[in-house]
């Protein structure tokens, strides 16, 4: 069977799936950032029907379910216009969330997600794609391997997170121009 990765735009009928998969994937990878593993502050700010309804109504936000061979394995959230330093809102696309359940990691899905994001950025004539990632862990190595560079530092914006686990990098990738045949 050929590996097929499909991106389904989120609709209200699929909120429960997005919440379930997003929460599961987040907790599988990031529960260690929270005292006693209690990720509730983040989950409540990201994975409720109220939050999703607000995000879905925001024309600057795109939400997707990620499917691999017809199974929902992750979520993707993109902000179409979000400035970074000298890059204007029109020039920069922000990847807010890529969460893939542990059972589906290591199968090339993350790479397909980044290709999908880059294609969208090219269509929108963006100059850069940017995102935040933990300073320690497999995500950093994954982004570096896929052409992202360390830009600057930031930290988890939740006061409840464990202080020494808060450091993050802002990563950027220049969007290559779409080649045209003449």
């Amino acid at each position: 069977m050929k590996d097929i990765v499909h991106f389904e735009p989120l609709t209200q009928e699929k909120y429960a799936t997005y919440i379930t998969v997003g929460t599961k994937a987040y907790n599988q990878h990031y529960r260690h950032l929270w005292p006693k593993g209690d990720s509730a502050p983040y989950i409540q700010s990201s994975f409720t029907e109220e939050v999703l309804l607000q995000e879905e109504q925001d024309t600057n936000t795109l939400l997707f379910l990620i499917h691999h061979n017809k199974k929902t394995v992750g979520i993707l959230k993109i902000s179409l216009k979000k400035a970074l330093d000298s890059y204007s809102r029109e020039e920069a696309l922000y990847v807010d969330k890529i969460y893939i359940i542990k059972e589906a990691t290591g199968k090339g899905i993350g790479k397909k997600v980044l290709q999908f994001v880059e294609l969208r950025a090219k269509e929108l004539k963006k100059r850069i794609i940017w995102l935040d990632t933990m300073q320690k862990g497999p995500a950093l190595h994954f982004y570096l391997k896929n052409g992202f560079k360390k830009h600057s530092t930031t930290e988890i914006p939740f006061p409840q997170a464990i202080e020494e686990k808060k450091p993050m990098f802002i990563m950027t990738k220049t969007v290559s121009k779409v080649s045209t045949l003449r």
Side-chain angles (χ1 to χ4, degrees):
M1 176 195 244
K2 184 167 170 42
D3 278 349
I4 297 172
V5 178
H6 170 71
F7 300 89
E8 177 185 0
L10 185 64
T11 60
Q12 227 171 329
E13 298 77 39
K14 298 287 184 133
Y15 279 9
T17 302
Y18 186 98
I19 290 167
T20 300
V21 172
T23 300
K24 178 180 179 179
Y26 182 85
N27 282 330
Q28 286 177 329
H29 297 282
Y30 299 110
R31 185 171 259 156
H32 68 281
L33 303 174
W34 303 92
K36 298 180 182 161
D38 182 9
S39 62
Y42 183 80
I43 300 303
Q44 290 303 309
S45 74
S46 298
F47 298 118
T48 67
E49 288 196 17
E50 295 77 24
V51 168
L52 293 179
L53 186 59
Q54 188 175 14
E55 289 177 345
E56 192 179 24
Q57 291 172 349
D58 179 355
T59 57
N60 189 42
T61 302
L62 296 179
L63 304 168
F64 297 92
L65 292 170
I66 303 167
H67 303 288
H68 179 246
N69 295 334
K70 298 185 180 180
K71 180 180 183 211
T72 307
V73 296
I75 60 139
L76 170 63
K77 178 183 176 188
I78 302 170
S79 294
L80 298 174
K81 297 178 180 180
K82 190 167 181 181
L84 176 66
D85 298 337
S86 63
Y87 294 99
S88 71
R89 288 172 39 90
E90 284 65 37
E91 295 173 312
L93 182 143
Y94 176 65
V95 181
D96 192 321
K97 292 177 179 55
I98 299 175
Y99 296 144
I100 299 170
I101 61 173
K102 269 203 176 182
E103 306 87 288
T105 58
K107 298 182 179 187
I109 298 166
K111 184 175 179 121
K112 297 262 191 216
V113 172
L114 293 180
Q115 290 169 346
F116 175 80
V117 169
E118 190 164 359
L119 185 59
R120 183 59 58 105
K122 286 178 183 180
E123 290 169 354
L124 296 169
K125 297 182 176 33
K126 299 294 183 176
R127 291 185 54 208
I128 64 157
I129 298 166
W130 68 284
L131 52 83
D132 306 315
T133 192
M134 303 312 302
Q135 286 189 9
K136 295 181 182 170
L140 172 62
H141 304 291
F142 168 74
Y143 292 124
L144 289 168
K145 187 172 128 184
N146 283 281
F148 281 81
K149 296 189 178 352
K150 294 177 189 173
H151 175 274
S152 56
T153 60
T154 187
E155 68 176 30
I156 296 172
F158 291 85
Q160 305 93 325
I162 297 170
E163 200 61 39
E164 59 270 12
K165 305 230 184 224
K166 285 184 177 185
M168 299 180 82
F169 286 118
I170 293 174
M171 308 286 290
T172 61
K173 183 174 183 180
T174 302
V175 178
S176 57
K177 301 274 188 241
V178 179
S179 60
T180 54
L181 300 174
R182 292 179 190 242

